Amino acid sequence: MSVLDNLANLQTFVHAADTRSFVETGRVQGISASAAGKCVARLEQALGVRLFHRSTRSITLTAEGQLFLARCRRILDERDAARTELAQQHATPSGTLRISLPLVGDLTLPLMAEFMAAYPDIRLELDFSDRLVDVIEEGFDAVLRVGEPSDSRLTARRLGVFPRRVVASPAYLQRHGTPQTPADLLQHRLLHYRFPSSGKLEPWPILWPEGDTAQELPVHLVANTIEARVALALRDGGLAFVPVHSVRDALAAGRLVTVLDEHVHSCGTFHLLWPSGRHVLPKLRVFIEFVGARLDTVP
């Protein structure tokens, strides 16, 4: 092993740079001051540069020594991080996780309850919002979001894909008629969603028949949550374009039905995002794996 390959030699150099004393370095490392000085001298010989200016009273770094010190710190920090990471692989996940979740409580709340039962030593702080939070600036450990990620500072894991459909109550359709073509939507009450981050209305991905000109759909109500539009659709308020998972029970019970299925082929995608370049602690690692396994196939 060469002098440069020995991390102990690099540690001795860093101690000497921090304390500006071979005597203090030797005391901390359990060697003589002479041995500490010789270790640095061997490094200088191997590098072909002088790392310290020496006097009878003190030692100070040269310009080359300053550059080498920065590199050595990074190398030793990586070693310490590797030790910590390996040790934590066997540690019980614990601590606080601050998570931002979209406003789809019907899907995420049962999932969070399962996670709490599986990892009782982890405390969850949940922030439900459809706004585009700044994960790093606002101090979140991770966020669950719908759509494609765009922040290069974040690591993203693609999770489940979920269908979206146009739904209405049987009573509403009995009174107003069941739309058979996209053009029929122009005569109905439509319940729309507004994105909190942009203020724009969510477009309805209607496939208009060949030869038909796409029309601007009417807006009878605008809300910023799925729950509000589902509740109004259940109360015969109109047609809503929503994720199927948010109306699964209502569809099964016949309280809502889908319409224009052949003209609406739309799926959303869940992504879990967390800050890039950081060591993933056990508490976050198990959360990522837990959520990923359960949202891999959202019905």
Side-chain angles (χ1 to χ4, degrees):
M1 181 184 294
S2 71
V3 172
L4 290 172
D5 291 334
N6 191 329
L7 292 181
N9 292 335
L10 303 185
Q11 186 72 70
T12 298
F13 165 69
V14 171
H15 272 303
D18 288 341
T19 62
R20 297 188 179 186
S21 168
F22 289 137
V23 173
E24 182 63 20
T25 297
R27 186 189 67 79
V28 171
Q29 295 196 320
I31 60 177
S32 67
S34 174
K38 288 178 180 178
C39 175
V40 172
R42 289 194 295 270
L43 284 173
E44 290 176 324
Q45 184 177 7
L47 292 166
V49 297
R50 182 175 292 276
L51 299 173
F52 287 107
H53 297 298
R54 295 166 173 81
S55 70
T56 55
R57 293 186 177 182
S58 66
I59 57 174
T60 57
L61 285 168
T62 62
E64 294 81 5
Q66 292 280 6
L67 291 173
F68 189 56
L69 176 62
R71 294 289 186 182
C72 288
R73 288 198 194 281
R74 281 197 285 271
I75 292 170
L76 295 172
D77 285 345
E78 285 295 321
R79 177 203 62 185
D80 294 341
R83 285 177 175 172
T84 300
E85 184 173 356
L86 289 173
Q88 289 176 337
Q89 293 295 322
H90 303 287
T92 300
S94 61
T96 299
L97 272 179
R98 191 159 181 256
I99 308 295
S100 179
L101 300 166
L103 292 170
V104 285
D106 61 291
L107 182 67
T108 56
L109 285 175
L111 186 62
M112 294 303 103
E114 287 182 43
F115 182 81
M116 291 172 63
Y119 297 97
D121 293 330
I122 296 178
R123 172 189 170 190
L124 290 178
E125 291 189 5
L126 305 178
D127 179 84
F128 288 89
S129 174
D130 280 338
R131 68 184 180 86
L132 196 62
V133 301
D134 189 314
V135 181
I136 295 174
E137 292 299 323
E138 297 183 48
F140 288 104
D141 293 293
V143 299
L144 181 66
R145 281 294 172 262
V146 175
E148 295 301 317
S150 59
D151 193 333
S152 61
R153 302 172 302 165
L154 305 177
T155 298
R157 175 169 172 176
R158 187 174 184 272
L159 303 178
V161 175
F162 57 92
R164 294 180 288 197
R165 294 290 182 267
V166 177
V167 302
S169 69
Y172 171 86
L173 297 176
Q174 186 175 9
R175 285 200 298 268
H176 300 277
T178 300
Q180 302 298 321
T181 68
D184 292 340
L185 292 174
L186 303 179
Q187 309 304 319
H188 281 270
R189 300 179 60 83
L190 305 189
L191 314 176
H192 286 263
Y193 173 75
R194 188 185 302 279
F195 293 107
S197 57
S198 65
K200 297 180 179 179
L201 294 183
E202 179 185 34
W204 288 30
I206 302 299
L207 301 177
W208 293 78
E210 187 174 353
D212 283 9
T213 302
Q215 302 289 318
E216 183 176 350
L217 299 180
V219 178
H220 291 87
L221 175 132
V222 177
N224 65 351
T225 69
I226 294 173
E227 285 84 353
R229 289 176 296 133
V230 170
L232 289 167
L234 284 167
R235 288 164 175 78
D236 315 325
L239 301 170
F241 173 63
V242 295
V244 171
H245 64 74
S246 67
V247 291
R248 186 188 309 113
D249 293 342
L251 290 173
R255 293 184 293 136
L256 290 176
V257 296
T258 63
V259 299
L260 296 176
D261 289 354
E262 66 275 21
H263 295 286
V264 181
H265 298 287
S266 173
C267 287
T269 305
F270 282 117
H271 281 85
L272 192 63
L273 304 100
W274 62 93
S276 299
R278 293 184 184 176
H279 169 59
V280 178
L281 296 172
K283 61 182 180 180
L284 179 56
R285 174 172 47 80
V286 296
F287 183 83
I288 293 169
E289 295 303 321
F290 187 92
V291 173
R294 283 154 180 79
L295 291 185
D296 183 49
T297 52
V298 179

